[in-house]
Amino acid sequence: TTQNCQAFTLNKMSDGGSYTLAIKNPNSTTCSFSDTNTVGATLTVHLPPDHQATIPNKHTIYSFMVIGTDVYISWIPGI
């Protein structure tokens, strides 16, 4: 997406699934993620401890891995 980072809602993620989100925007903003409408149970979101704002005009790649009722997020900023 070329949207600025914002509060994204994770919808319909399934146990065992993996997902990717690529962001490139002209601003430095911080993404946040929450879950309100999953398949089965509500997920607990786990962001890496070094998560921070994106780098302007660079790509940031987010990877999501769902295990049970947890979604683990990793990121690669500044590509």
Side-chain angles (χ1 to χ4, degrees), residues 1-78:
T1 182
T2 55
Q3 292 182 349
N4 288 326
C5 274
Q6 55 189 290
F8 290 106
T9 302
L10 307 175
N11 289 308
K12 302 193 186 297
M13 290 182 147
S14 299
D15 182 19
S18 60
Y19 308 87
T20 303
L21 172 65
I23 294 177
K24 181 180 180 185
N25 58 4
N27 302 307
S28 177
T29 54
T30 302
C31 292
S32 64
F33 302 93
S34 63
D35 172 74
T36 59
N37 186 23
T38 62
V39 175
T42 299
L43 298 174
T44 301
V45 175
H46 302 277
L47 281 164
D50 66 343
H51 184 250
Q52 56 191 341
T54 58
I55 299 168
N57 297 310
K58 298 283 186 175
H59 288 97
T60 299
I61 307 298
Y62 285 95
S63 297
F64 306 85
M65 182 172 42
V66 181
I67 301 173
T69 59
D70 295 287
V71 59
Y72 296 94
I73 302 171
S74 61
W75 74 314
I76 303 170

